Coordinates of all heavy atoms in Angstrom, one line a residue:
G101 N -151.5 -64.0 49.3 CA -150.7 -62.8 49.5 C -150.7 -62.2 50.9 O -149.8 -61.5 51.3
I102 N -151.8 -62.6 51.6 CA -151.9 -62.2 53.0 C -151.2 -63.2 53.9 O -151.5 -64.4 53.8 CB -153.3 -62.0 53.5 CG1 -154.0 -60.9 52.6 CG2 -153.5 -61.6 54.9 CD1 -153.5 -59.5 52.7
D103 N -150.3 -62.8 54.8 CA -149.6 -63.8 55.7 C -150.3 -63.9 57.1 O -150.1 -64.9 57.7 CB -148.1 -63.4 55.8 CG -147.4 -63.4 54.5 OD1 -147.4 -64.4 53.9 OD2 -146.9 -62.3 54.1
A104 N -150.9 -62.8 57.5 CA -151.5 -62.8 58.8 C -152.6 -61.7 58.9 O -152.6 -60.8 58.1 CB -150.5 -62.6 59.9
I105 N -153.6 -61.9 59.8 CA -154.6 -60.9 60.0 C -154.5 -60.4 61.4 O -154.3 -61.1 62.4 CB -156.0 -61.6 59.8 CG1 -156.1 -62.1 58.4 CG2 -157.1 -60.6 60.1 CD1 -157.3 -63.0 58.1
A106 N -154.6 -59.1 61.6 CA -154.5 -58.4 62.9 C -155.8 -57.7 63.1 O -156.3 -57.0 62.2 CB -153.3 -57.4 62.9
V107 N -156.4 -57.8 64.3 CA -157.6 -57.1 64.6 C -157.6 -56.4 65.9 O -157.0 -57.0 66.9 CB -158.8 -58.0 64.4 CG1 -158.8 -59.1 65.5 CG2 -160.2 -57.2 64.5
T108 N -158.2 -55.2 66.1 CA -158.4 -54.6 67.4 C -159.5 -55.3 68.1 O -160.6 -55.5 67.6 CB -158.9 -53.1 67.2 OG1 -157.9 -52.5 66.3 CG2 -159.0 -52.4 68.5
Y109 N -159.2 -55.8 69.3 CA -160.2 -56.5 70.1 C -160.6 -55.8 71.4 O -161.3 -56.3 72.2 CB -159.8 -58.0 70.3 CG -158.8 -58.3 71.4 CD1 -159.1 -59.1 72.5 CD2 -157.5 -57.8 71.3 CE1 -158.1 -59.4 73.4 CE2 -156.5 -58.1 72.2 CZ -156.9 -58.9 73.3 OH -155.9 -59.2 74.2
G110 N -160.0 -54.6 71.6 CA -160.4 -53.8 72.8 C -159.3 -52.8 73.1 O -158.2 -52.9 72.4
P111 N -159.4 -51.8 73.9 CA -160.7 -51.5 74.5 C -161.5 -50.7 73.5 O -161.0 -50.2 72.5 CB -160.3 -50.6 75.7 CG -159.0 -50.0 75.3 CD -158.3 -51.0 74.4
G112 N -162.8 -50.5 73.8 CA -163.6 -49.7 72.9 C -165.1 -50.0 73.2 O -165.4 -50.6 74.2
L113 N -165.9 -49.7 72.2 CA -167.4 -50.0 72.4 C -167.7 -51.4 71.9 O -167.4 -51.7 70.8 CB -168.2 -49.0 71.5 CG -167.8 -47.5 71.7 CD1 -168.5 -46.6 70.7 CD2 -168.3 -47.1 73.1
V114 N -168.2 -52.2 72.8 CA -168.3 -53.6 72.4 C -169.2 -53.9 71.2 O -168.7 -54.7 70.3 CB -168.7 -54.5 73.6 CG1 -170.2 -54.5 73.9 CG2 -168.2 -55.9 73.5
P115 N -170.3 -53.2 70.9 CA -171.0 -53.5 69.7 C -170.2 -53.1 68.4 O -170.3 -53.8 67.4 CB -172.3 -52.6 69.7 CG -172.3 -52.1 71.1 CD -171.0 -52.1 71.7
A116 N -169.4 -52.1 68.6 CA -168.5 -51.7 67.5 C -167.3 -52.6 67.3 O -167.1 -53.1 66.1 CB -168.0 -50.3 67.7
L117 N -166.7 -53.0 68.3 CA -165.5 -53.9 68.3 C -165.9 -55.2 67.6 O -165.1 -55.8 66.8 CB -165.0 -54.2 69.7 CG -164.2 -53.1 70.4 CD1 -164.1 -53.4 71.9 CD2 -162.8 -53.1 69.8
R118 N -167.1 -55.7 68.0 CA -167.5 -57.0 67.5 C -167.5 -57.1 66.0 O -167.3 -58.2 65.5 CB -168.9 -57.3 68.1 CG -168.9 -58.1 69.4 CD -170.2 -58.6 69.7 NE -170.2 -59.0 71.1 CZ -171.1 -58.8 72.0 NH1 -172.2 -58.1 71.6 NH2 -171.0 -59.2 73.2
I119 N -167.9 -56.1 65.3 CA -168.0 -56.1 63.9 C -166.6 -56.5 63.3 O -166.5 -57.4 62.4 CB -168.5 -54.8 63.3 CG1 -169.8 -54.3 64.1 CG2 -168.8 -54.9 61.8 CD1 -171.0 -55.2 64.1
G120 N -165.6 -55.8 63.7 CA -164.3 -56.1 63.1 C -163.8 -57.4 63.6 O -163.2 -58.2 62.8
V121 N -164.0 -57.7 64.9 CA -163.5 -59.0 65.4 C -164.1 -60.2 64.7 O -163.4 -61.1 64.3 CB -163.7 -59.1 66.9 CG1 -163.5 -60.5 67.5 CG2 -162.8 -58.1 67.7
E122 N -165.4 -60.1 64.5 CA -166.1 -61.3 63.8 C -165.7 -61.4 62.4 O -165.5 -62.5 61.9 CB -167.6 -61.1 63.9 CG -168.2 -61.2 65.3 CD -167.8 -62.5 66.1 OE1 -167.8 -63.6 65.5 OE2 -167.4 -62.4 67.2
L123 N -165.4 -60.3 61.7 CA -164.9 -60.4 60.3 C -163.5 -61.0 60.3 O -163.2 -61.9 59.5 CB -164.9 -59.0 59.6 CG -164.3 -59.1 58.2 CD1 -165.2 -59.9 57.3 CD2 -164.1 -57.7 57.6
A124 N -162.7 -60.6 61.2 CA -161.3 -61.1 61.2 C -161.3 -62.6 61.6 O -160.5 -63.4 60.9 CB -160.5 -60.3 62.3
K125 N -162.1 -63.0 62.5 CA -162.2 -64.4 62.8 C -162.6 -65.2 61.6 O -162.1 -66.3 61.4 CB -163.2 -64.6 64.0 CG -162.7 -64.1 65.3 CD -163.8 -63.9 66.3 CE -164.5 -65.2 66.8 NZ -165.5 -64.9 67.9
T126 N -163.7 -64.8 61.0 CA -164.2 -65.5 59.8 C -163.1 -65.6 58.7 O -162.9 -66.7 58.2 CB -165.4 -64.8 59.2 OG1 -166.3 -64.5 60.3 CG2 -166.1 -65.6 58.2
L127 N -162.5 -64.5 58.4 CA -161.4 -64.5 57.4 C -160.3 -65.5 57.8 O -159.8 -66.3 56.9 CB -160.9 -63.1 57.1 CG -161.9 -62.1 56.4 CD1 -161.2 -60.7 56.3 CD2 -162.3 -62.6 55.1
A128 N -159.9 -65.4 59.0 CA -158.7 -66.2 59.5 C -159.1 -67.7 59.3 O -158.3 -68.5 58.9 CB -158.4 -65.9 60.9
W129 N -160.4 -68.0 59.7 CA -160.8 -69.4 59.6 C -160.9 -69.9 58.2 O -160.4 -71.0 57.8 CB -162.1 -69.5 60.4 CG -162.5 -70.9 60.6 CD1 -162.0 -71.9 61.5 CD2 -163.6 -71.6 59.9 NE1 -162.6 -73.1 61.4 CE2 -163.6 -73.0 60.4 CE3 -164.5 -71.3 58.9 CZ2 -164.5 -73.9 59.9 CZ3 -165.4 -72.2 58.4 CH2 -165.4 -73.5 59.0
V130 N -161.6 -69.1 57.4 CA -161.8 -69.5 56.0 C -160.5 -69.6 55.2 O -160.3 -70.5 54.4 CB -162.9 -68.6 55.3 CG1 -163.0 -68.9 53.8 CG2 -164.2 -68.7 56.0
W131 N -159.7 -68.6 55.4 CA -158.4 -68.5 54.6 C -157.3 -69.4 55.3 O -156.3 -69.5 54.7 CB -157.9 -67.1 54.5 CG -158.7 -66.1 53.7 CD1 -159.7 -66.5 52.8 CD2 -158.6 -64.7 53.6 NE1 -160.2 -65.4 52.2 CE2 -159.6 -64.3 52.7 CE3 -157.8 -63.8 54.3 CZ2 -159.7 -62.9 52.3 CZ3 -158.0 -62.4 54.0 CH2 -158.9 -62.0 53.0
Q132 N -157.6 -69.8 56.5 CA -156.6 -70.5 57.3 C -155.3 -69.7 57.4 O -154.2 -70.2 57.1 CB -156.3 -71.9 56.6 CG -157.4 -72.9 56.7 CD -157.7 -73.3 58.1 OE1 -156.8 -73.9 58.8 NE2 -158.8 -73.0 58.7
K133 N -155.5 -68.5 57.9 CA -154.3 -67.6 58.2 C -154.2 -67.4 59.6 O -155.2 -67.3 60.4 CB -154.6 -66.2 57.5 CG -154.9 -66.2 56.0 CD -153.6 -66.5 55.2 CE -153.9 -66.5 53.7 NZ -152.8 -66.9 52.9
P134 N -153.0 -67.1 60.1 CA -152.8 -66.8 61.5 C -153.5 -65.5 61.9 O -153.5 -64.5 61.1 CB -151.3 -66.7 61.7 CG -150.7 -66.7 60.4 CD -151.7 -67.2 59.4
L135 N -154.0 -65.5 63.1 CA -154.8 -64.3 63.6 C -154.1 -63.7 64.8 O -153.7 -64.5 65.7 CB -156.2 -64.7 63.9 CG -157.1 -63.6 64.5 CD1 -157.4 -62.5 63.5 CD2 -158.5 -64.3 64.9
V136 N -153.9 -62.4 64.9 CA -153.3 -61.8 66.1 C -154.3 -60.7 66.6 O -155.0 -60.0 65.8 CB -151.9 -61.2 65.9 CG1 -150.9 -62.2 65.7 CG2 -151.9 -60.1 64.8
A137 N -154.4 -60.6 67.9 CA -155.4 -59.7 68.5 C -154.6 -58.5 69.1 O -153.6 -58.7 69.8 CB -156.1 -60.4 69.6
V138 N -155.0 -57.3 68.7 CA -154.2 -56.1 69.1 C -155.0 -55.2 70.0 O -156.2 -55.0 69.8 CB -153.8 -55.3 67.8 CG1 -153.1 -54.0 68.1 CG2 -152.9 -56.2 66.9
N139 N -154.4 -54.7 71.0 CA -155.0 -53.7 71.9 C -154.9 -52.4 71.2 O -153.9 -52.0 70.7 CB -154.1 -53.7 73.2 CG -154.7 -52.7 74.2 OD1 -154.9 -51.6 73.9 ND2 -154.8 -53.2 75.5
H140 N -156.1 -51.7 71.2 CA -156.2 -50.4 70.4 C -155.1 -49.4 70.9 O -154.5 -48.7 70.1 CB -157.6 -49.9 70.6 CG -157.8 -48.6 69.9 ND1 -158.1 -48.5 68.6 CD2 -157.9 -47.3 70.4 CE1 -158.3 -47.3 68.3 NE2 -158.2 -46.5 69.3
L141 N -154.8 -49.4 72.2 CA -153.9 -48.5 72.7 C -152.4 -48.8 72.3 O -151.6 -47.9 72.0 CB -153.9 -48.4 74.2 CG -155.3 -48.2 74.8 CD1 -155.2 -48.2 76.3 CD2 -155.8 -46.9 74.3
E142 N -152.2 -50.1 72.2 CA -150.9 -50.5 71.6 C -150.8 -50.1 70.2 O -149.7 -49.6 69.7 CB -150.8 -52.1 71.7 CG -149.5 -52.6 71.3 CD -149.5 -54.1 71.5 OE1 -150.5 -54.8 71.3 OE2 -148.4 -54.6 72.0

Side-chain angles (χ1 to χ4, degrees):
I102 301 294
D103 299 304
I105 298 170
V107 66
T108 304
Y109 76 118
L113 307 169
V114 83
L117 283 163
R118 269 191 192 138
I119 311 300
V121 167
E122 293 305 315
L123 176 64
K125 287 161 68 173
T126 309
L127 292 177
W129 189 74
V130 173
W131 290 348
Q132 291 293 300
K133 304 283 177 186
L135 177 65
V136 291
V138 176
N139 182 310
H140 180 78
L141 305 180
E142 183 173 41

